[in-house]
Amino acid sequence: MSNNEESNQIESYEVSLADLFCSDNKKIRVDKIKIPMIQRDYAQGRLDKARLRRQFLEALFGAIDKDYSKPIVLDFVYGRQVRDEDTDEIYFEPIDGQQRLTTLFLLHLYIAKHLNEALMAEALKWLGGFSYETRQSSLRFCKELIDMPTTAFDDLETYLKGQSWFSKRYKQDPTVTGMICMLNDIANHYESIKDDSVRIESIWFRLIKNVTFMLLYLKKLNATDDLYIKMNSRGLHLTEFEKFKAELEGYFKDIEKSQDMDFGVMIDTKWTNLLWDYRDKWRDGTDVDLGIYDPDNTSPYTQNGLDNMFHHIFRRYMSIEGCKADLFVKKKLNEADGVEVYEIMPFSDSPNSDLTYLAET
């Protein structure tokens, strides 16, 4: 394929969620966003994704909460435009970016529900074009969200308990429970200002302007199930330490500019060579049969002994630094004869402290 032919198949634009529905540019505008059935469930709202959710929401809040907030660009979202033969409507079918689009939809929806009636009605017209077709329960829940009263979003779980349509199958739908969890976190953030119409309106206008992403339309694309499977299963899953390492490298960007050090190169070469012979070999899956140590569905392709060694070293280092900074955790052991007995442990030994949280602290 020539370069000209390839460029004709890809078009990219920097847009906000509102632009996608309301732009005057017909090459951008769509009537609906449909998350297709073959896509996975909404994962950012899962309970075990609390740290990821917190980080993403903090980045979004940082771009919209203040008059001086700086805009943020959320990388690439790509997929294709599809024309519905029955209705002649054009909808966007994302291949990558589903999670970000869903979180943006929920954030826009919460803010819109706290606007004055005129602005709310205008916003809900296009927000109603977002649909989740992974399950019928997900599809209907998105529609129900549009019609819910504003008060429902301030205590969503209590409101849903009183709705006859909210049956057991909704509670078992991971996308629905994830959306509820995300909306709860958004509601908690805006609890103190939700009734301040002036502030909410200013946040809304920054939201539809300041938060953008690079929209990539892939043209002449054969949207088969095979395509989605390939796009959503690229490569092996990262280990927990690899995720931590990638985040930690981000902290070193400014430091590396002023010092003769490349953290990424060091940890992948010199430090790896140093620790290789000391790794926990039994975790590699090379010295023992996989079935012996795989009670939690772990595999040598998602965990390894070198990562485990790095994990221990970083945790020990942060334990020492935490003690020097007087970061300790009190754990009550028991109480006898009116005397309370506590265990004082380093902050890094707290069962609730993951590596990234420790590094941030």
Side-chain angles (χ1 to χ4, degrees), residues 14 16 27 38 40 83 102 132 190 198 214 225 237 241 251 259 261 293 296 301 303 330 340:
E14 182 178 343
S16 67
K27 291 184 177 181
I38 195 65
R40 62 182 177 143
R83 185 178 294 278
T102 307
Y132 236 92
Y190 287 115
V198 175
M214 297 305 299
D225 288 0
H237 291 293
F241 181 78
Y251 288 110
Q259 299 183 13
M261 185 191 76
Y293 69 94
D296 299 318
Y301 303 105
Q303 304 295 335
K330 289 176 64 177
E340 297 180 344

Side-chain angles (χ1 to χ4, degrees), residues 140-167:
R140 182 180 174 184
F141 188 71
C142 287
K143 293 179 180 178
E144 293 289 347
L145 283 173
I146 297 297
D147 295 330
M148 286 180 192
T150 296
T151 52
F153 290 83
D154 299 325
D155 191 353
L156 191 54
E157 292 180 357
T158 299
Y159 173 83
L160 291 172
K161 287 178 181 178
Q163 305 306 305
S164 59
W165 59 267
F166 192 71
S167 59

Side-chain angles (χ1 to χ4, degrees), residues 17-33:
L17 189 66
D19 291 333
L20 199 54
F21 288 102
C22 307
S23 174
D24 293 330
N25 187 340
K26 292 183 179 180
K27 291 184 177 181
I28 296 174
R29 190 177 67 245
V30 297
D31 298 298
K32 295 180 178 179
I33 296 176

Side-chain angles (χ1 to χ4, degrees), residues 201-357:
E201 185 173 317
S202 67
I203 289 171
W204 171 256
F205 285 115
R206 282 190 293 272
L207 174 58
I208 61 177
K209 180 184 70 173
N210 279 11
V211 181
T212 59
F213 50 88
M214 297 305 299
L215 176 67
L216 214 64
Y217 280 140
L218 306 181
K219 302 169 69 176
K220 299 180 181 179
L221 202 59
N222 185 20
T224 62
D225 288 0
D226 183 57
L227 168 68
Y228 284 100
I229 292 170
K230 288 178 179 177
M231 293 302 295
N232 286 284
S233 61
R234 301 183 298 269
L236 301 173
H237 291 293
L238 295 178
T239 67
E240 288 304 311
F241 181 78
E242 285 171 329
K243 296 174 186 176
F244 166 74
K245 184 176 71 172
E247 294 186 33
L248 195 61
E249 287 183 23
Y251 288 110
F252 278 86
K253 288 182 179 179
D254 294 334
I255 298 175
E256 290 171 355
K257 293 178 182 178
S258 59
Q259 299 183 13
D260 185 20
M261 185 191 76
D262 189 325
F263 175 80
V265 172
M266 291 292 284
I267 198 169
D268 286 333
T269 56
K270 188 173 181 178
W271 297 343
T272 291
N273 291 335
L274 177 67
L275 295 179
W276 183 254
D277 289 337
Y278 301 99
R279 72 191 188 281
D280 293 343
K281 296 179 182 179
W282 69 276
R283 291 182 180 269
D284 284 345
T286 54
D287 295 348
V288 296
D289 177 54
L290 175 62
I292 295 175
Y293 69 94
D294 195 33
D296 299 318
N297 197 29
T298 306
S299 83
Y301 303 105
T302 57
Q303 304 295 335
N304 62 75
L306 183 63
D307 280 3
N308 195 53
M309 180 59 69
F310 269 119
H311 184 284
H312 287 319
I313 288 177
F314 275 93
R315 182 170 283 277
R316 287 302 96 200
Y317 171 77
M318 286 187 282
S319 177
I320 294 170
E321 292 299 310
C323 290
K324 288 161 61 177
D326 292 326
L327 291 174
F328 294 97
V329 176
K330 289 176 64 177
K331 179 182 177 183
K332 186 175 180 178
L333 297 179
N334 56 56
E335 182 175 351
D337 299 328
V339 178
E340 297 180 344
V341 179
Y342 289 90
E343 176 187 7
I344 306 297
M345 68 177 77
F347 182 72
S348 62
D349 289 342
S350 170
N352 297 323
S353 59
D354 61 37
L355 281 180
T356 303
Y357 183 57

Side-chain angles (χ1 to χ4, degrees), residues 113-208:
K113 285 289 184 176
H114 291 80
L115 295 170
N116 63 58
E117 289 188 10
L119 283 175
M120 184 197 305
E122 181 183 330
L124 293 182
K125 284 181 181 178
W126 55 266
L127 284 171
F130 184 91
S131 65
Y132 236 92
E133 305 200 345
T134 53
R135 290 181 176 85
Q136 282 299 311
S137 51
S138 303
L139 178 63
R140 182 180 174 184
F141 188 71
C142 287
K143 293 179 180 178
E144 293 289 347
L145 283 173
I146 297 297
D147 295 330
M148 286 180 192
T150 296
T151 52
F153 290 83
D154 299 325
D155 191 353
L156 191 54
E157 292 180 357
T158 299
Y159 173 83
L160 291 172
K161 287 178 181 178
Q163 305 306 305
S164 59
W165 59 267
F166 192 71
S167 59
K168 184 178 180 180
R169 67 187 177 117
Y170 289 93
K171 300 174 185 177
Q172 294 175 338
D173 184 334
T175 291
V176 172
T177 57
M179 286 182 173
I180 294 172
C181 187
M182 180 64 79
L183 283 168
N184 285 340
D185 282 1
I186 294 171
N188 289 336
H189 177 76
Y190 287 115
E191 171 64 27
S192 62
I193 66 165
K194 67 180 187 294
D195 297 322
D196 187 335
S197 59
V198 175
R199 285 195 64 184
I200 289 293
E201 185 173 317
S202 67
I203 289 171
W204 171 256
F205 285 115
R206 282 190 293 272
L207 174 58
I208 61 177

